[in-house]
């Protein structure tokens, strides 16, 4: 997988674009300590990601690794880039950005709340931002729960916001274990969804089973995330595997003999 190395790229990042995906993953791991000790190299990576977002050029595996490294280092200067990345269509970039914002923690907290002040924010983007915000609360900032819960409660009740955003709020409230979340979500279900809503109903069920919510968030180790890249697999995506016969051929569809 010898991708073309961007001409403006720092030569120390070249190994992210050379060899197969196993070699790229190894280079990614090795670069973490290098970037940690070099703020200029960190800034160079941030600028490269910003260029890609601004130019809508798409992301090579090596460039996704840059985002992953910045998240691993809890790079506060990269917060703005990760927030912008939530708006991108690249699902792998979205997942890496959520993980990175959760790791950055406090510096990303206010930025996420400010992002959610935009009532015109698309439903999918706002849902991703809420997921990142929830993770920060569970993982690093339990003292900020009141601020997060106020935002989630208000958004869940608002009929002016996209459905996907309101559903994400219900899910987050169930994970956080907010005191009156069960009654609140049931009220919204009765008022706004007389025919039901699967995600809100699942949130209520989760709260009834575990009223205290989740005690923390299980973070995927960087090795797991690199595994996603190697398999070209976005977490949560469905994989359809067709069984093979011993010869390696897929089975033929059964024939209805009654038709002949």
């Amino acid at each position: 997988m010898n991708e073309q190395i961007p001409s403006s790229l720092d030569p120390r990042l070249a190994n992210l674009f050379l060899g197969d995906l196993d070699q790229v993953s190894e280079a990614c791991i090795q670069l973490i300590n290098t970037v940690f000790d070099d703020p200029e190299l960190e800034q160079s990576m941030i600028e490269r990601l910003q260029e890609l977002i601004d130019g809508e050029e798409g992301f090579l595996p090596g460039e996704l690794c840059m985002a992953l490294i910045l998240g691993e280092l809890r790079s506060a200067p990269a917060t703005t880039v990760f927030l912008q990345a939530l708006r991108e269509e690249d699902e792998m970039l979205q997942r890496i950005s959520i993980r990175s914002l959760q790791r950055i923690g406090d510096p990303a907290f206010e930025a996420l709340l400010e992002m959610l002040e935009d009532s015109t924010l698309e439903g999918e983007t706002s849902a991703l931002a809420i997921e990142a915000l929830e993770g920060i609360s569970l993982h690093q900032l339990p003292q900020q729960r009141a601020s997060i819960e106020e935002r989630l409660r208000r958004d869940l009740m608002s009929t002016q916001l996209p459905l996907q955003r309101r559903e994400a709020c219900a899910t987050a409230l169930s994970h956080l274990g907010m005191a009156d979340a069960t009654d609140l979500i049931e009220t919204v279900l009765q008022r706004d969804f007389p025919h039901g809503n699967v995600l809100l109903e699942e949130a209520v069920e989760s709260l009834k089973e575990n009223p205290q919510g989740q005690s923390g968030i299980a973070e995927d180790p960087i090795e797991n995330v690199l595994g996603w890249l190697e398999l070209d697999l976005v977490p949560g995506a469905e994989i359809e595997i067709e069984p093979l016969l011993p010869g390696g051929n897929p089975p033929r569809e059964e024939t209805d003999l009654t038709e002949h």
Side-chain angles (χ1 to χ4, degrees):
M1 187 203 74
N2 291 317
E3 304 284 1
Q4 183 176 358
I5 301 174
S7 58
S8 60
L9 199 67
D10 189 296
R12 289 170 292 178
L13 301 175
N15 285 341
L16 292 176
F17 301 87
L18 300 174
D20 58 25
L21 284 172
D22 284 338
Q23 292 170 305
V24 170
S25 296
E26 184 177 348
C28 181
I29 295 292
Q30 292 175 347
L31 273 168
I32 292 173
N33 289 334
T34 302
V35 180
F36 180 79
D37 293 326
D38 192 331
E40 289 187 4
L41 186 56
E42 176 185 359
Q43 185 59 36
S44 173
M45 294 168 68
I46 294 171
E47 291 173 358
R48 176 57 185 165
L49 295 179
Q50 186 67 65
E51 288 175 5
L52 292 168
I53 291 174
D54 292 343
E56 300 180 350
E57 299 178 29
F59 287 75
L60 298 172
E63 289 155 344
L64 290 172
C65 282
M66 290 186 204
L68 189 55
I69 291 169
L70 291 169
E72 195 68 15
L73 298 178
R74 307 181 194 273
S75 172
T79 297
T80 300
V81 168
F82 286 130
L83 291 175
Q84 293 175 348
L86 296 181
R87 302 174 186 265
E88 296 293 300
E89 294 183 0
D90 189 317
E91 292 182 76
M92 187 68 74
L93 178 64
Q94 290 174 344
R95 300 316 307 175
I96 290 174
S97 297
I98 289 172
R99 179 184 185 274
S100 298
L101 289 165
Q102 290 174 345
R103 287 184 59 81
I104 290 169
D106 197 8
F109 178 77
E110 292 296 336
L112 282 163
L113 284 180
E114 183 177 349
M115 184 180 192
L116 289 168
E117 286 295 331
D118 181 4
S119 60
T120 65
L121 192 65
E122 290 186 0
E124 180 182 0
T125 302
S126 57
L128 296 173
I130 288 168
E131 183 180 347
L133 195 64
E134 170 204 329
I136 291 174
S137 176
L138 287 170
H139 187 55
Q140 287 195 337
L141 299 175
Q143 70 275 17
Q144 301 286 9
R145 283 175 63 102
S147 298
I148 294 175
E149 289 175 358
E150 179 184 356
R151 158 62 62 186
L152 296 176
R153 183 188 290 108
R154 187 166 72 242
D155 285 3
L156 175 63
M157 294 293 291
S158 175
T159 58
Q160 304 302 313
L161 293 175
L163 173 61
Q164 200 168 0
R165 177 166 177 168
R166 299 178 71 196
E167 290 173 334
C169 288
T171 300
L173 288 171
S174 71
H175 291 166
L176 292 171
M178 195 183 83
D180 63 342
T182 302
D183 292 341
L184 180 66
I185 298 171
E186 287 181 334
T187 297
V188 172
L189 272 168
Q190 294 172 5
R191 186 192 71 183
D192 301 335
F193 304 98
H195 300 295
N197 178 286
V198 173
L199 290 180
L200 268 66
E201 290 165 356
E202 287 180 351
V204 170
E205 188 65 28
S206 175
L207 280 164
K208 288 180 177 178
E209 292 178 359
N210 187 10
Q212 302 303 315
Q214 298 178 356
S215 58
I217 183 170
E219 179 184 283
D220 288 293
I222 188 171
E223 292 81 4
N224 287 8
V225 186
L226 288 169
W228 305 342
L229 288 175
E230 292 176 16
L231 295 172
D232 193 21
L233 174 65
V234 177
E238 296 182 359
I239 306 176
E240 184 176 338
I241 301 176
E242 188 173 26
L244 298 179
L245 296 174
N249 299 313
R252 291 178 296 177
E253 294 183 3
E254 293 184 6
T255 303
D256 187 349
L257 298 178
T258 62
E259 294 181 357
H260 300 282

